[in-house]
Amino acid sequence: MAAFEAVHGIRLPSAYRTFLREVGNGGIGPDCGLEPLTRWNIRDIPDARQRLGTTFAPDPTGCVPEEWARLCADRTDPYAGTHPVVQRGGPEATLLVITGPARGRLLDAHLGNTALPPVFHPAPDFLHWYEHWLDGLPQGRLAPDLRDQSRGSDEELVDQLAGSDSACERLAAAYTLGGRRPLGSRARDVLLAALADDPVRGVRMEAAKTLAESDLYAGVADALARALSDPDHWVRRRALVHLLRVTDDETAYGSAARALLHDENPNVRMAAADILGRAGWTS
């Protein structure tokens, strides 16, 4: 830890330093687990040595979408000054802020789409964030994800997803609903509508994931199959992953799924070949 700090000319936030010193460097955590500290400088940001000490400007107490738009216009790497602690799959990650007004806070980011603002977790530091995840495990909630990104009751979150003009708020609502059990039929209907019609791909992607991981299966497979023809390739790939999570009915969905083997996007084609091959749907 000290050597890493010396190389990068920074000091890690105190709660994260405590975790590294007293618990471990990486290990059990949300999604794919906690990333070891020393792996970060070979992931995501090639010239990390020059960027870790750069000030991360967004203030979680301000208007994050507006600040984010200004930051993206001024900087080629808006996530400079942050450290990935969890790889959530593909370009999605949870980052620890090292510098700036949000130092010590955790945020969820889509590194493949920097135009999409990050979502700050309400926990004040790494230890509270990790404890929050641990506290959720015995309660029957999904262990792989740390979901509470937006406050409010289930009905308030559904209203937010259905009616907010803010893409960031709709994304947070779809993300947070994934950790709530049980969800009612209205939540299902609003999530299905978001998957089909929301103008922001990140919201459609989160709606797909939340629907697939929920117990609201009525109509979900059909909706995910329709999303295989979404205009955005990230959504098409996400829909395929989750379609095979909710159904093994190759007769009904195999043809639509196999169409992605000829998708215009090479990443979708490669993902489809792998996913369908493992499922035995390539015949």
Side-chain angles (χ1 to χ4, degrees), residues 22 56 127 152 159 202 228 272 276 283:
E22 299 183 8
F56 183 71
L127 292 177
D159 289 341
L228 295 177
L276 296 175
S283 59

Side-chain angles (χ1 to χ4, degrees), residues 233-248:
H233 73 275
W234 289 110
V235 180
R236 296 196 297 275
R237 186 165 71 170
R238 173 68 64 88
L240 179 62
V241 169
H242 292 304
L243 176 64
L244 271 69
R245 295 186 66 171
V246 303
T247 182
D248 59 1

Side-chain angles (χ1 to χ4, degrees), residues 228 230 233 236 258-269 272:
L228 295 177
D230 190 277
H233 73 275
R236 296 196 297 275
R258 283 190 291 272
L260 295 188
L261 293 169
H262 308 286
D263 194 89
E264 63 182 10
N265 185 279
N267 291 325
V268 175
R269 295 197 300 271

Side-chain angles (χ1 to χ4, degrees), residues 29-160:
D31 289 290
C32 301
L34 300 178
E35 287 281 287
L37 178 66
T38 51
R39 291 184 62 186
W40 175 70
N41 60 3
I42 60 171
R43 281 177 174 259
D44 301 318
I45 305 171
D47 53 346
R49 290 175 181 270
Q50 288 74 44
R51 298 191 175 187
L52 188 55
T54 301
T55 298
F56 183 71
D59 185 339
T61 64
C63 183
V64 174
E66 291 183 6
E67 179 66 25
W68 189 251
R70 289 193 294 269
L71 183 63
C72 289
D74 296 338
R75 186 179 295 175
T76 56
D77 172 24
Y79 286 109
T82 66
H83 158 52
V85 293
V86 172
Q87 295 293 331
R88 291 172 43 218
E92 300 176 36
T94 297
L95 312 179
L96 173 68
V97 181
I98 304 299
T99 60
R103 174 175 163 81
R105 293 285 296 271
L106 281 297
L107 56 85
D108 287 329
H110 193 293
L111 300 177
N113 180 12
T114 55
L116 190 66
V119 178
F120 281 95
H121 192 273
D125 59 37
F126 185 88
L127 292 177
H128 284 87
W129 170 83
Y130 191 70
E131 183 179 13
H132 180 89
W133 177 73
L134 290 174
D135 287 345
L137 298 185
Q139 300 171 11
R141 295 168 58 189
L142 294 174
D145 288 303
L146 188 62
R147 296 278 192 164
D148 287 343
Q149 301 299 322
S150 188
R151 298 177 181 177
S153 67
D154 292 357
E155 282 302 309
E156 289 170 332
L157 290 170
V158 171
D159 289 341
Q160 182 173 308

